[in-house]
Amino acid sequence: MAPYAATITNKLALHGATIMGKTNLDAWAHGSSTETSDFGPSRNPYHTDYVPGGSSGGSAVAVAAGLIPAAIGTETAGSIRLPAAWSGVVGLKPSYGRVSRYGIVAMGSSWDCPGPITQTVEDAALLLEVMAGHDVHDATSINAPVPQYVSELSQPRKLSIGISEEYFANVDAEIMQSVEKSIKLLEDLGHTIKKIKLMEPKYAISVYMLLQRSEVASNLARYDGIRFGKPRSFFGKEAERRILLGTYALSAGYYDAFYKKAQKVRYLIREDFEKVFTQVDVIFAPTTPITATKLGDCSKFAFYGEMMDVLTEPASAAGIPAISIPIGMHSNGLPIGGQFMANYLDEQSLLQAAYQLEQNVQFDRLSVMQKYE
Amino acid sequence: MSTIDLDLVKHLAKLANLKISDEELQQYPEQLSESLEYVANLKEIDTSKVPDNFFTTKARNVMEDDEVCESDMISHDGYFVVKRIL
């Protein structure tokens, strides 16, 4: 039991939300499938032999199966959008600093963002409106006005939407078909599609791998067995591996070559996005390169988490907001997610674009809920 | 490219205060070296002109006003009396 409530929990309760409970996730949020959870994995509601994606997988499953209308996830790099895409729900990662992290276990402190996982874009807008805003208890939270996301959702805005080939490399053919269909829909809705060039997402993986590990090593150092009950021997293999690599990247002699270099490339990733957002309002791309994997298959992939999160990591590195919504169904019976990314603090454009696409895309989210009634 | 050998893993485990059994330690040199091999792609990017003070929000010097709280002004033998925290 937590000794105090997180700011977002308090805010939601103040606005009349009923907190139903906690959901499953990878231990310390270290994972992309919930398979590293100390409580066992969650299962994909569309096919229970498959994972729901992680780390906030339990939240996505509960929403997809209709157990609850909405849930909160936390994302360091993909942990909201990946399970949302694989479980057929909406997942919104806000701008870094938009939503308070007070009361949430720190993972990668310069990346972490809590955000809503919901059945619809409108619900995501509603939750963000409640959750967003400055918090004196979180020194990194941003003191910027929070727009009325819900009432401005249905504005008939025509947006300029960027498409980057760099986000299509090694993406499953059927996912690409859904992405292309969505692009056509967005064009038919009167939006302008523009080809843009972005830095290849593989560099964001490296930046993430080094900086997140370093921050994990530093954050988890406070788990000394005194203040939080259990000793350090309770860390699982995944946490151990991350702590070791982070300790390496931060240690004397390696700091410049790894930590500092990654920080500099991260700077360039953000600049790259900033440049593109002078030309377009939002960027559209697939959320994941493939659909959900089978339970137990994660060990078959080298760098499983990084590879599944490859398309979500750049936005996280840059601290910009992004949203994943269902855009189709794969012939394997698993959902396909597409994502919009927007400029820093421009969740408004993100939500408007996602809302319009959601109204026009074919995706049956109700029949899976009937299965679990 | 750098690799991480068993001695270095032991050293890192010590720095991180992790007690890892000898048997478990064996898997880490290879796994960690693979990660280093991957991140070597960062060398392809020229960062010679990039500052190294990245901060995600671009927020600068967030200051709060100093507020004198009367209740904290009561002194006790020349010391401030503060609320008990433990």
Side-chain angles (χ1 to χ4, degrees), chain A residues 317-328:
Chain A
I320 60 171
I323 189 169
S324 176
I325 66 166
I327 57 163

Side-chain angles (χ1 to χ4, degrees), chain A residues 192-259:
Chain A
T192 313
I193 306 293
K194 252 192 203 167
K195 285 213 165 166
I196 50 163
K197 201 172 158 35
L198 280 169
M199 192 191 278
E200 281 179 64
K202 67 175 183 186
Y203 297 112
I205 294 186
S206 299
V207 167
Y208 173 72
M209 221 189 274
L210 287 167
L211 299 182
Q212 183 261 8
R213 278 11 170 217
S214 301
E215 293 177 23
V216 161
S218 166
N219 276 323
L220 293 188
R222 73 187 76 170
Y223 285 84
D224 50 13
I226 298 169
R227 287 165 291 179
F228 299 96
K230 296 216 168 89
R232 291 176 77 73
S233 55
F234 274 76
F235 284 129
K237 281 204 171 69
E238 187 59 35
E240 263 180 19
R241 190 161 38 233
R242 292 186 189 213
I243 292 170
L244 289 171
L245 188 64
T247 306
Y248 175 81
L250 290 176
S251 57
Y254 305 108
Y255 177 84
D256 281 2
F258 295 102
Y259 183 82

Side-chain angles (χ1 to χ4, degrees), chain A residues 164-184:
Chain A
S164 162
E165 296 273 342
E166 287 75 22
Y167 283 66
F168 299 161
N170 306 315
V171 174
D172 173 272
E174 281 191 47
I175 293 184
M176 274 316 297
Q177 277 174 17
S178 291
V179 168
E180 274 151 23
K181 241 189 233 169
S182 297
I183 294 170
K184 177 82 183 29

Side-chain angles (χ1 to χ4, degrees), chain A residues 17 38 97 132 148 172 181 194 251 257 261-262 312 341:
Chain A
D38 293 331
Q148 302 207 309
D172 173 272
K181 241 189 233 169
K194 252 192 203 167
S251 57
K261 176 76 185 182
T312 55
M341 293 166 256

Side-chain angles (χ1 to χ4, degrees), chain B residues 74-85:
Chain B
I74 306 157
S75 62
H76 175 77
D77 293 342
Y79 294 98
F80 285 112
V81 178
V82 294
K83 281 183 200 126
R84 202 184 151 136
I85 55 163

